[in-house]
Amino acid sequence: TDSAAQLFGQAWLLDSTNNEVFWGYGLVYGQQKEFDKALFVLYKALDRDQENARLLTDVATSHLGRFYEQNDPEDLLQSKKLLERAVLLSPDFAGASYKLAINSYYLQEYGKAWEYLHKSLLQDKEIVTENFVAALLQKQPDPQGVYQQ
């Protein structure tokens, strides 16, 4: 991540209007768990590209990360709003559906979590983690019976 941050710094010096630089910085800050910084630059990128489902999902992911650390329900609600918009823009983007499953889990909407999980599986079978499925199974059985405890 340090090398990436240095490269994005150089890219910003070359072209401070390049939206990809803000997006890249946001991803680096997110990896470093500096979610306030990540959200600051990701929202700058989002201001310039509001119809990008992947960018919306990355902003939502930083909100989820900050929720994990600070347990602020506002981050969870904002994440959900962004992810729902990403799914509307790109219904086949597995990342947004999977993050919505995680978001629904934390909102204790387990039926919705299963719904989004199965939707993400149809799009990308590799996206699902065993830890998340196990946690969800502890809350509610899989309505489709794909996963068992």
Side-chain angles (χ1 to χ4, degrees), residues 114 118 130 133-134 137-138 140-149:
W114 280 116
H118 286 293
E130 291 179 26
V133 171
L137 280 169
Q138 288 181 347
Q140 180 180 320
D142 180 356
Q144 291 188 19
V146 174
Y147 296 100
Q148 306 291 325
Q149 275 188 332

Side-chain angles (χ1 to χ4, degrees), residues 5-25:
Q6 183 179 12
L7 290 172
F8 283 118
Q10 291 171 347
W12 185 79
L13 289 172
L14 292 171
D15 182 5
S16 63
T17 64
N18 185 333
N19 202 42
E20 302 291 318
V21 173
F22 291 111
W23 192 353
Y25 262 133

Side-chain angles (χ1 to χ4, degrees), residues 32-114:
Q32 294 172 339
K33 299 190 184 307
E34 294 187 41
F35 298 112
D36 291 338
K37 288 180 181 179
L39 288 166
F40 179 78
V41 293
L42 285 170
Y43 273 109
K44 281 186 178 255
L46 191 59
D47 284 344
R48 297 175 182 184
D49 191 4
Q50 296 180 9
E51 304 299 309
N52 187 321
R54 290 186 185 275
L55 178 55
L56 285 161
T57 301
D58 288 340
V59 177
T61 300
S62 285
H63 276 289
L64 277 174
R66 193 166 69 178
F67 170 76
Y68 298 149
E69 287 191 344
Q70 299 176 6
N71 205 24
D72 183 352
E74 287 301 314
D75 279 316
L76 202 52
L77 295 174
Q78 183 64 15
S79 175
K80 180 179 180 179
K81 181 177 149 185
L82 292 164
L83 290 166
E84 286 173 340
R85 192 159 146 228
V87 167
L88 282 174
L89 290 169
S90 185
D92 295 330
F93 179 41
S97 296
Y98 185 64
K99 296 293 171 116
L100 259 173
I102 294 169
N103 191 280
S104 297
Y105 173 87
Y106 283 106
L107 287 169
Q108 299 178 0
E109 298 172 349
Y110 305 120
K112 283 265 190 209
W114 280 116

